[in-house]
Structure formats: structure tokens, C-alpha cells
Amino acid sequence: MTRYIIDRIEGGLAALEREDDEFITMPIDDLPVGSKQHDCLECRKGCWTIDTKRTGERKEQLRDRLDNLFGRS
């Protein structure tokens, strides 16, 4: 299993960041339906899925970092 994060989507292509900080680009049509920027994905044997649990955890961590940065409680 390999994990990715959708870094950005532009012009029908998605730039995905792999766990080892390498990037790949692929057509958005090859991603799971409903995929959007910053979603966490898993690829197992060529089958892509959205890791909703990991996506939620990551968004919460980023929100906490922003709150700390801007002094919000």
C-alpha cells in the first residue's frame, strides 16, 4: 500500500505527494469519485481509495497548527 495526499488539482490533472515527499501527476479521472485537494489517498494493487479517517485527522492537525500560529483558542 502506498499513501498520497492530493497537493493540488489543475486543468484536469492532480499532483499527488507520496509519503517519501516525491510527487506524481495523474488525470483526476483516475482518482476516486469525489476526490478533492488535500484528501489522503491509498493505492493498493492499483486500486485508489480515499482514506477519510486520515484525511480528517490531517485536517484537524492543520487547523490546530493554524490556531496556535494565530493565537486562537
Side-chain angles (χ1 to χ4, degrees):
M1 169 184 63
T2 307
R3 293 182 175 169
Y4 298 85
I5 296 171
I6 301 175
D7 183 64
R8 65 188 175 281
I9 297 174
E10 298 174 346
L13 294 174
L16 308 179
E17 182 178 3
R18 204 169 47 203
E19 289 177 309
D20 61 4
D21 297 326
E22 293 294 318
F23 283 84
I24 64 169
T25 303
M26 63 186 305
I28 58 172
D29 293 339
D30 291 348
L31 298 177
V33 172
S35 295
K36 57 191 176 299
Q37 188 170 333
H38 305 299
D39 279 349
C40 297
L41 304 175
E42 292 182 350
C43 185
R44 291 181 191 196
K45 298 180 182 179
C47 182
W48 291 89
T49 57
I50 299 172
D51 185 340
T52 54
K53 181 180 178 195
R54 191 163 160 251
T55 297
E57 290 169 351
R58 185 171 180 275
K59 286 182 180 181
E60 187 175 318
Q61 290 172 347
L62 292 172
R63 197 173 310 117
D64 289 345
R65 286 183 189 168
L66 286 173
D67 288 346
N68 287 334
L69 179 66
F70 293 106
R72 297 181 285 211
S73 299

